[in-house]
Amino acid sequence: MASAPTVEPTRRDMLFIATGAAAVVGTGAAIWPFISQMNPDASTLALASTEVDISSISEGGILTVKWRGKPVFVRHRTKKEIDDAAAAKVDTLPDPQTDSARVKKPEWLVVVGVCTHLGCVPLGNQGSFSGWFCPCHGSDYDTSGRIRSGPAPRNLEVPAYSFISDTKIQIG
Amino acid sequence: MSGQSTYVPSSAIGRWFESRLPIMGLMHSSFVAYPVPRNLNYWWTFGAILSFMLVAQIVTGIVLAMHYTPHVDFAFNSVEHIMRDVNWGWLIRYTHANGASMFFVAVYLHMLRGLYYGSYKAPREVLWILGVIIYLLMMATGFMGYVLPWGQMSFWGATVITNLFSAIPLVGDAITTWLWGGYSVDNPTLNRFFSLHYLLPFMIAAVVGLHVWALHVVGQNNPAGVEVKNVERDTIPFTPYATLKDAFGLVCFLIFYAWFVFYTPNFLGHADNYIEANPLVTPAHIVPEWYYLPFYAILRAIPSKLGGVVAMFGAIAILAFLPWLDTSRVKSAAFRPVYKVFFWVFVMACLGLGYLGSQPPDGGYVIAARILTAYYFGFFIIIMPLLGLFEKTKPVPATIADAILAKNGAAAQSHS
């Protein structure tokens, strides 16, 4: 091959770059389905919402239901529990949030029952704040599901939900 | 072969690593500096195409195993789940199912290339036999893979093929029961087939490693069928020449493959396999996958249970003896005018057997299958040994360089 230095791009340069670009785009397009297939499939997405009848939960009771494979706590709070939650000084909390921002109706608290530390399921009506206590590493949640002490960084997550009627909610 | 790599890593870290594990040097000497004969044609790109297909089947297969359930109650539905629910599942399954067919297309062309150019002859006997072993493993893998969707063809194909072993005298029934893990093809059978279908491709990969190793010891055969005598004159480096030729061959092959996947994904399958397995009803006409059809025709051509099974396995086993059945001193059919004719008749006979294997086993079809079966074995047992003794071959070029000059004449000389 001639080795005279050329400043102008040659046809060969053009073909080389075009082929390389097509190969890169083609490889990317071929790889994408193999990554995407590990995401939730249509049958999993179809189960992404669930309806719960809350009429059977008496005051002070907690119902645990499964939503997206995880426990969700539906807590029928007593007057005292509501007052305790409202009385907490928000700006001293590790994850500041008012109780009213976490509920749609004060007597009903709906939270995902997964500790925000490392994913264990906390125990209800236990711990220093009588909310939840996580037995794995000692995270203490109040009656609003907010983290008060222990290693967990955030409050128990409030899932998207809505009241279909006074006795029925839809989670997700 | 000479042409050893003189690879020296350019970076200090590279040199540090290379003195401890010379893997880059191995890659360089195997796939960059490796000298390939100058005269290789596109039939020599199927080795690279087959390597790609093995990787593609393993990758798509691992993904399918993430979504498939190997249980008689769930297998069929889990395949439909892959087709309908899993993101891109339809693409991955069609790529895998058609990939099996494409793998066999490529391996048959690769084998016929070897048969035509005498690639099985000394010093490549071990290389060839390793290839026969890979082919056998491929057939076992393909068969067990076809059982997994648990459709009617899966079930009855599995029943028929496992029953082949019942033809063995004395222990046949015990072996069949052992293969099944029961008294018929059932859940234990499906479970073990899934396990083995996952295992065998990795065994294939291991034997492919030996196959490539053996290839790199003796060097590639070539269309002239003469060995490399002068590395300078007769060979070119693997990279970029063979790399790019293989890449181009692969792209053309992928277009062919993609056409099946995207335009007619079920053409090579059988509609009955979309009916869930029913152990109480056999479909009217059982046919294996197309790549087994010639052997299926041989099985049915012999009017004896044991005889048919022996002939069918013998048709594959005989390939391993090819290096010693062919007595000709000339490798390439390019210089064997009579062998060339018998070769193409052999190709026709294989295609004919394939057609007959897909037809019902009665009347003229059976007679035709018997004639072609006779030719199939006669080609190896009679024609190959005798032709080497009596055929008048054309003059063989002394070197690969001479072969190229003889073909391209003075035009080639002006380049050097």
Side-chain angles (χ1 to χ4, degrees):
Chain A
M1 215 189 299
S3 59
T6 47
V7 183
E8 287 292 305
T10 62
R11 278 162 66 94
R12 183 173 288 246
D13 293 334
M14 166 64 198
L15 284 171
F16 189 75
I17 292 167
T19 308
V24 168
V25 172
T27 305
I31 286 173
W32 173 245
F34 291 89
I35 295 167
S36 174
Q37 58 85 18
M38 284 179 57
N39 270 320
D41 62 39
S43 67
T44 305
L45 296 175
L47 298 174
S49 73
T50 185
E51 283 184 17
V52 185
D53 180 2
I54 57 174
S55 60
S56 63
I57 311 169
S58 55
E59 199 171 294
I62 302 173
L63 178 70
T64 306
V65 294
K66 202 168 143 190
W67 172 67
R68 287 182 174 178
K70 293 186 286 195
V72 169
F73 301 139
V74 182
R75 182 167 185 151
H76 192 169
R77 297 195 294 188
T78 62
K79 179 82 173 59
K80 181 178 183 304
E81 287 170 347
I82 297 168
D83 291 344
D84 285 352
K89 284 204 182 97
V90 171
D91 47 359
T92 64
L93 298 175
D95 183 8
Q97 206 175 13
T98 61
D99 183 56
S100 58
R102 293 177 55 78
V103 292
K104 291 204 160 78
K105 295 182 179 179
E107 60 271 41
W108 294 103
L109 175 70
V110 181
V111 289
V112 175
V114 174
C115 180
T116 59
H117 181 220
L118 292 172
C120 295
V121 179
L123 306 170
N125 295 314
Q126 292 194 28
S128 323
F129 300 87
S130 302
W132 283 272
F133 177 74
C134 183
C136 290
H137 308 97
S139 292
D140 223 336
Y141 297 91
D142 66 14
T143 53
S144 186
R146 291 172 298 196
I147 182 67
R148 300 300 284 266
S149 70
R154 280 174 290 109
N155 302 333
L156 292 180
E157 185 196 340
V158 177
Y161 71 96
S162 57
F163 282 88
I164 297 171
S165 68
D166 282 348
T167 59
K168 200 171 247 185
I169 61 170
Q170 177 179 298
I171 304 171
Chain B
M1 282 182 85
S2 55
Q4 291 303 316
S5 174
T6 51
Y7 178 70
V8 178
S10 52
S11 70
I13 292 175
R15 284 190 294 276
W16 178 88
F17 192 84
E18 191 70 7
S19 61
R20 285 154 180 80
L21 182 68
I23 192 166
M24 294 309 290
L26 179 68
M27 291 294 146
H28 188 269
S29 64
S30 302
F31 303 110
V32 180
Y34 182 73
V36 299
R38 278 174 187 271
N39 57 342
L40 296 187
N41 57 35
Y42 273 104
W43 299 110
W44 261 264
T45 60
F46 283 94
I49 289 168
L50 284 161
S51 305
F52 175 88
M53 286 312 302
L54 177 60
V55 172
Q57 288 302 87
I58 289 177
V59 170
T60 52
I62 287 171
V63 166
L64 290 174
M66 292 180 189
H67 303 285
Y68 169 79
T69 312
H71 187 287
V72 289
D73 292 339
F74 305 107
F76 186 84
N77 286 335
S78 74
V79 172
E80 285 311 300
H81 162 73
I82 290 168
M83 294 301 291
R84 290 154 192 264
D85 292 344
V86 174
N87 305 326
W88 301 98
W90 60 271
L91 176 64
I92 293 163
R93 174 163 175 262
Y94 279 151
T95 305
H96 193 75
N98 285 284
S101 282
M102 294 304 122
F103 207 154
F104 278 96
V105 167
V107 88
Y108 283 136
L109 292 173
H110 191 65
M111 290 161 76
L112 287 174
R113 190 286 317 274
L115 206 57
Y116 186 86
Y117 292 110
S119 299
Y120 47 87
K121 293 161 82 76
R124 299 186 181 81
E125 303 94 324
V126 171
L127 174 61
W128 172 263
I129 290 168
L130 288 167
V132 174
I133 292 169
I134 293 168
Y135 176 51
L136 263 178
L137 288 170
M138 278 176 63
M139 292 181 99
T141 310
F143 160 65
M144 287 193 264
Y146 195 55
V147 175
L148 302 183
W150 209 243
Q152 275 290 64
M153 279 295 159
S154 299
F155 183 88
W156 292 102
T159 300
V160 168
I161 300 300
T162 49
N163 264 312
L164 292 177
F165 293 91
S166 72
I168 300 169
L170 300 176
V171 293
D173 285 336
I175 289 178
T176 314
T177 304
W178 176 76
L179 286 172
W180 288 337
Y183 303 101
S184 65
V185 173
D186 208 333
N187 198 50
T189 325
L190 178 60
N191 262 285
R192 64 191 59 181
F193 277 18
F194 178 61
S195 172
L196 294 173
H197 183 71
Y198 207 118
L199 168 70
L200 289 185
F202 295 96
M203 292 178 65
I204 292 175
V207 184
V208 166
L210 296 177
H211 190 68
V212 173
W213 185 10
L215 173 72
H216 283 210
V217 170
V218 294
Q220 281 160 299
N221 187 30
N222 58 80
V226 292
E227 298 299 315
V228 170
K229 298 199 171 72
N230 179 329
V231 171
E232 277 291 300
R233 286 191 73 216
D234 293 343
T235 70
I236 43 177
F238 192 99
T239 300
Y241 299 102
T243 321
L244 281 180
K245 190 160 186 158
D246 284 349
F248 184 70
L250 176 63
V251 167
C252 294
F253 186 79
L254 287 179
I255 291 170
F256 176 70
Y257 178 7
W259 182 76
F260 278 98
V261 170
F262 291 107
Y263 292 96
T264 177
N266 289 302
F267 179 75
L268 297 167
H270 196 294
D272 277 8
N273 223 28
Y274 283 102
I275 302 168
E276 190 167 4
N278 181 351
L280 305 180
V281 181
T282 304
H285 183 204
I286 295 274
V287 277
E289 289 283 73
W290 68 266
Y291 34 87
Y292 303 125
L293 287 174
F295 301 102
Y296 196 56
I298 290 173
L299 169 77
R300 300 190 308 186
I302 310 291
S304 138
K305 183 170 176 179
L306 181 59
V309 173
V310 169
M312 190 183 80
F313 284 107
I316 301 163
I318 201 163
L319 295 171
F321 298 94
L322 199 49
W324 298 278
L325 288 170
D326 183 356
T327 53
S328 175
R329 303 215 323 246
V330 176
K331 284 200 189 88
S332 172
F335 309 108
R336 299 184 63 189
V338 185
Y339 173 73
K340 196 187 271 184
V341 175
F342 281 112
F343 169 84
W344 286 112
V345 175
F346 176 77
V347 174
M348 292 302 178
C350 291
L351 293 173
L353 282 169
Y355 168 73
L356 293 169
S358 72
Q359 297 303 311
D362 49 34
Y365 293 126
V366 173
I367 296 166
R370 285 181 187 158
I371 294 169
L372 294 183
T373 300
Y375 183 82
Y376 183 95
F377 285 102
F379 178 75
F380 292 114
I381 297 172
I382 300 167
I383 295 170
M384 282 267 194
L386 291 183
L387 210 51
L389 305 178
F390 296 114
E391 184 179 29
K392 186 160 167 33
T393 55
K394 291 189 198 166
V396 176
T399 66
I400 290 170
D402 289 343
I404 295 167
L405 289 176
K407 194 176 171 190
N408 300 333
Q413 258 172 329
S414 64
H415 285 296
S416 52

